[in-house]
Amino acid sequence: MDMACRERFCLSEDLMMENAASALEKKLAEKKSVLILCGGGNNGGDGYALARRIFSKNISVAVIVCVPERSDMCLLQKRRAKNCGVKFVPLSDSETFLENNNFDAVVDCIFGSGFHGALPDEISALVKKINAMEAFKLACDIPSGLDLLGNASGECFHADVTVTMGALKLALFSDFAKEVCGKISCADLGLDRETFENSVPQNHGPKYFLLEESDCKYPHRQNPNVNKGSFGHAAFVAGEKIGASVIASCAALKFGAGLVTLVDFKNACSSGEKISLDINGLPSETIVPYEIMCGKNFPERTSAIALGMGLGRDCGIDEIKKYIFENPEIPLVLDADIFYHDEILEILQKRSAQKSPTVLTPHPKEFSVLLEKCGLGIFSTGDVVKNRVELAQKFCGAFPGTVLLLKGATVLVAQKQDADSDCEMFFNPHGTAVLAKAGSGDVLSGLVASLLAQKYSALDAAKSASLAHALGSKKICPDFSLTPFGLIGALEK
């Protein structure tokens, strides 16, 4: 993209580097002392240009030369900074230098987005020491230590803010990257981001998109001439752990479904105030809110089905599977325990072949199990987290039309619409650690089922439900206090 912009729009490399340094400079407003860590490529060149620009503004500036300069622009920018009087510190002297000097801010300009492997030992030790400092930390383009997929093989710079150059990078939106990138902004290098990103033709292959808050399409009711049936009837299969399906069904009703029924094959739940006590005097039945209906069969006009939340891993699902196969047009949400059933492969194969709307909402461990059940390979939970883009693409290629909503620090929604289309991947970075609590996943499945019942497409339901779920989490305070029903209440916009 850099090269295409230089050739097509006659932007010099020097001008683009000055714009990059200017974007970094803006993030250092009111800082009085700044330490810059410079590499030997153009990332280092950005750092040297920054040092020159802020040195002339009576800011105390020092540069630790982490890698000898190797690109022409890095050489030129270092020479300019030297002529201005910027102080350079060899990497070998950095430990002593840091012991004797304090800084308000540290800027990481060591390695850019092409980095792979682990940081060299001496740089790794420096970065570890910098991470322990209380100074404001700013990363240029991408925190040093992150590879192309957003993973790190060793130490990685931990930024408060990352200013990425020209275009957003896939690596910035991995689960690990969420720990080290801080707030992400995109620098204008002389062209707006859209023009920069479109400077080269879109190659065939996966298409990546970043979901923004405005992409959440809430199910607002515009037509006044409606009844509850106008907004669908979502059916949730109740299993061994009834609470999970109760949580999901309550989320579905809250998010706009006109009717919600718990399909209770095991006669384990009751509606309203009916309570049976066991020999210890404790309730033996799960009490379902009055507004949620209970039945032994799927409702006559079921418009979406949710299966798996609290289902159990050893129970028979023949009756459920028969209904699903006889009604392929009804949208289906699959979550949690269903991924441990051997029947999952048959369900997915038939649903994909019949082009039936289907959304799966696994977390990484469940996705690991699912991949193995589907004959797509054996992967640990760690493998899934590190290689989720590749594995999501592999899964979607095996089951065209199926929507995968892979949970994590950054949620990934993926779909390959048909065998001949490219896989589309949507990244939702808006969630918070608040969601790391039992029951939050059940809420998400309920939101997806609700939107499917209200005639959203499978892809749109997954995207909007994921965003509403994430944005709702930001309203929870204090950050450790989330409960599933508190999250459901936070959905009110």
Side-chain angles (χ1 to χ4, degrees), residues 163-198:
V163 177
T164 196
M165 302 304 169
L168 296 174
K169 279 77 176 177
L170 181 65
L172 299 174
F173 300 98
S174 70
D175 280 4
F176 177 76
K178 199 158 188 174
E179 295 183 19
V180 301
C181 289
K183 186 176 180 180
I184 299 168
S185 65
C186 188
D188 183 330
L189 300 184
L191 295 167
D192 64 273
R193 176 181 143 198
E194 184 177 0
T195 303
F196 189 90
E197 290 177 348
N198 292 325

Coordinates of all heavy atoms in Angstrom, one line a residue, residues 163-198:
V163 N -0.4 4.0 17.4 CA -0.7 4.7 16.2 C -0.2 3.9 15.0 O 1.0 3.8 14.8 CB 0.0 6.1 16.2 CG1 -0.4 6.8 14.9 CG2 -0.5 6.9 17.4
T164 N -1.2 3.3 14.3 CA -0.8 2.5 13.2 C -0.9 3.3 11.9 O -1.6 4.3 11.8 CB -1.8 1.3 13.1 OG1 -1.2 0.3 12.2 CG2 -3.2 1.7 12.6
M165 N 0.0 3.0 11.0 CA 0.3 3.9 9.9 C -0.5 3.6 8.6 O -0.4 2.5 8.1 CB 1.8 3.9 9.6 CG 2.6 4.4 10.8 SD 2.1 6.0 11.4 CE 3.0 6.1 12.9
G166 N -1.4 4.5 8.2 CA -2.0 4.4 6.9 C -3.3 3.5 6.9 O -4.3 3.9 6.5
A167 N -3.2 2.3 7.4 CA -4.3 1.4 7.4 C -4.2 0.5 8.7 O -3.1 0.3 9.3 CB -4.2 0.5 6.2
L168 N -5.4 0.1 9.2 CA -5.4 -0.9 10.3 C -4.8 -2.2 9.9 O -5.0 -2.6 8.7 CB -6.8 -1.0 10.8 CG -7.5 0.2 11.3 CD1 -9.0 0.0 11.7 CD2 -6.8 0.7 12.6
K169 N -4.2 -2.9 10.8 CA -3.6 -4.2 10.5 C -4.3 -5.3 11.3 O -4.8 -5.1 12.4 CB -2.1 -4.2 11.0 CG -1.1 -3.6 10.0 CD -1.2 -2.1 10.1 CE -0.1 -1.4 9.1 NZ -0.3 0.0 9.2
L170 N -4.4 -6.5 10.6 CA -5.1 -7.6 11.2 C -4.5 -7.9 12.6 O -5.2 -8.3 13.5 CB -5.0 -8.8 10.3 CG -5.6 -10.1 10.7 CD1 -7.1 -9.9 10.8 CD2 -5.3 -11.2 9.8
A171 N -3.2 -7.8 12.7 CA -2.5 -8.2 13.9 C -2.9 -7.4 15.1 O -2.8 -7.9 16.3 CB -1.0 -8.0 13.7
L172 N -3.5 -6.2 14.9 CA -3.9 -5.4 16.0 C -5.2 -5.9 16.7 O -5.5 -5.4 17.8 CB -4.1 -4.0 15.6 CG -2.9 -3.3 14.9 CD1 -3.3 -1.9 14.4 CD2 -1.8 -3.1 16.0
F173 N -5.8 -6.9 16.1 CA -7.1 -7.3 16.6 C -7.2 -8.8 17.0 O -8.2 -9.4 16.9 CB -8.2 -7.0 15.6 CG -8.3 -5.5 15.4 CD1 -7.6 -4.9 14.3 CD2 -8.9 -4.6 16.3 CE1 -7.7 -3.6 14.1 CE2 -8.9 -3.3 16.1 CZ -8.3 -2.7 15.0
S174 N -6.0 -9.3 17.4 CA -6.0 -10.7 18.0 C -6.3 -10.6 19.5 O -6.4 -9.5 20.0 CB -4.6 -11.3 17.8 OG -3.7 -10.6 18.7
D175 N -6.6 -11.7 20.1 CA -6.9 -11.7 21.5 C -5.7 -11.2 22.3 O -5.8 -10.4 23.2 CB -7.3 -13.1 22.0 CG -8.7 -13.5 21.7 OD1 -9.4 -12.7 21.0 OD2 -9.1 -14.6 22.0
F176 N -4.5 -11.7 21.9 CA -3.3 -11.2 22.6 C -3.0 -9.7 22.4 O -2.7 -9.0 23.4 CB -2.1 -12.0 22.2 CG -0.8 -11.6 22.9 CD1 -0.5 -11.9 24.2 CD2 0.1 -10.8 22.2 CE1 0.6 -11.5 24.8 CE2 1.3 -10.3 22.8 CZ 1.6 -10.7 24.1
A177 N -3.3 -9.2 21.2 CA -3.0 -7.8 20.9 C -3.8 -6.9 21.8 O -3.4 -5.8 22.1 CB -3.3 -7.6 19.4
K178 N -5.0 -7.4 22.2 CA -5.8 -6.5 23.1 C -5.2 -6.2 24.4 O -5.4 -5.2 25.0 CB -7.2 -7.2 23.3 CG -8.3 -6.3 23.8 CD -9.6 -6.9 23.5 CE -10.7 -5.8 23.8 NZ -12.1 -6.3 23.4
E179 N -4.2 -7.0 24.8 CA -3.5 -6.8 26.0 C -2.4 -5.7 25.8 O -2.0 -5.1 26.8 CB -2.8 -8.1 26.5 CG -3.8 -9.2 27.0 CD -3.1 -10.4 27.5 OE1 -1.9 -10.2 27.9 OE2 -3.7 -11.5 27.5
V180 N -1.9 -5.6 24.6 CA -0.6 -4.8 24.4 C -0.8 -3.6 23.5 O 0.2 -2.8 23.5 CB 0.5 -5.8 23.8 CG1 0.8 -6.9 24.8 CG2 0.2 -6.3 22.4
C181 N -1.9 -3.5 22.8 CA -2.0 -2.4 21.9 C -2.6 -1.1 22.5 O -2.4 0.0 22.0 CB -2.9 -2.8 20.7 SG -2.1 -3.9 19.6
G182 N -3.3 -1.2 23.6 CA -4.0 -0.1 24.2 C -5.0 0.5 23.2 O -5.6 -0.2 22.4
K183 N -5.2 1.8 23.3 CA -6.1 2.4 22.3 C -5.5 2.5 21.0 O -4.3 2.9 20.8 CB -6.5 3.8 22.8 CG -7.6 4.5 22.0 CD -8.0 5.8 22.6 CE -9.1 6.5 21.8 NZ -9.5 7.8 22.4
I184 N -6.2 2.2 19.9 CA -5.6 2.1 18.6 C -6.2 3.3 17.7 O -7.4 3.6 17.7 CB -6.0 0.8 17.9 CG1 -5.4 -0.4 18.6 CG2 -5.5 0.8 16.4 CD1 -5.9 -1.7 18.2
S185 N -5.3 4.0 17.1 CA -5.7 5.0 16.1 C -4.9 4.9 14.8 O -3.8 4.3 14.8 CB -5.5 6.4 16.7 OG -4.1 6.7 16.9
C186 N -5.5 5.4 13.7 CA -4.9 5.2 12.4 C -4.4 6.5 11.9 O -5.1 7.5 11.9 CB -5.9 4.6 11.5 SG -5.1 4.1 9.9
A187 N -3.1 6.6 11.6 CA -2.5 7.9 11.1 C -2.7 8.1 9.6 O -2.6 7.2 8.8 CB -1.0 7.9 11.4
D188 N -3.0 9.3 9.3 CA -3.2 9.8 7.9 C -1.8 10.1 7.4 O -1.1 11.0 7.9 CB -4.1 11.0 7.9 CG -4.4 11.5 6.5 OD1 -3.5 11.4 5.6 OD2 -5.4 12.1 6.2
L189 N -1.3 9.4 6.4 CA 0.0 9.6 5.8 C 0.1 10.5 4.6 O 1.0 10.6 3.9 CB 0.7 8.3 5.4 CG 0.8 7.2 6.6 CD1 1.5 6.0 6.1 CD2 1.6 7.8 7.7
G190 N -1.0 11.3 4.5 CA -1.2 12.2 3.3 C -2.4 11.8 2.5 O -2.7 12.5 1.5
L191 N -3.0 10.7 2.9 CA -4.3 10.2 2.3 C -5.2 9.7 3.4 O -4.7 9.2 4.4 CB -4.0 9.1 1.3 CG -3.2 9.4 0.0 CD1 -2.8 8.1 -0.6 CD2 -4.0 10.2 -1.0
D192 N -6.5 9.9 3.2 CA -7.4 9.3 4.2 C -7.3 7.8 4.2 O -6.8 7.2 3.2 CB -8.8 9.7 3.9 CG -9.4 9.2 2.6 OD1 -9.1 9.9 1.6 OD2 -9.9 8.1 2.6
R193 N -7.7 7.2 5.2 CA -7.6 5.7 5.4 C -8.2 4.9 4.3 O -7.6 4.0 3.8 CB -8.1 5.3 6.8 CG -8.1 3.8 7.0 CD -8.7 3.5 8.4 NE -9.5 2.3 8.3 CZ -10.4 1.9 9.2 NH1 -10.7 2.7 10.2 NH2 -11.0 0.8 9.1
E194 N -9.4 5.3 3.9 CA -10.1 4.6 2.8 C -9.4 4.6 1.5 O -9.2 3.5 0.8 CB -11.5 5.1 2.6 CG -12.4 4.3 1.6 CD -13.8 4.8 1.5 OE1 -14.1 5.8 2.2 OE2 -14.6 4.3 0.7
T195 N -8.9 5.8 1.1 CA -8.1 5.9 -0.1 C -6.8 5.0 0.0 O -6.4 4.3 -0.9 CB -7.7 7.3 -0.4 OG1 -9.0 8.1 -0.5 CG2 -7.0 7.5 -1.7
F196 N -6.2 5.1 1.1 CA -4.9 4.3 1.3 C -5.2 2.8 1.2 O -4.4 2.1 0.5 CB -4.3 4.7 2.7 CG -3.0 4.1 3.0 CD1 -1.9 4.9 2.7 CD2 -2.8 2.9 3.5 CE1 -0.6 4.4 2.9 CE2 -1.5 2.3 3.8 CZ -0.4 3.1 3.5
E197 N -6.2 2.4 1.9 CA -6.5 0.9 1.9 C -6.9 0.4 0.5 O -6.7 -0.7 0.1 CB -7.6 0.6 2.9 CG -7.2 0.8 4.3 CD -8.3 0.5 5.3 OE1 -9.5 0.5 4.9 OE2 -8.0 0.4 6.5
N198 N -7.5 1.3 -0.3 CA -8.0 0.9 -1.6 C -7.0 1.3 -2.7 O -7.3 1.2 -3.9 CB -9.3 1.6 -2.0 CG -10.5 1.1 -1.1 OD1 -10.5 0.0 -0.7 ND2 -11.4 2.0 -0.7

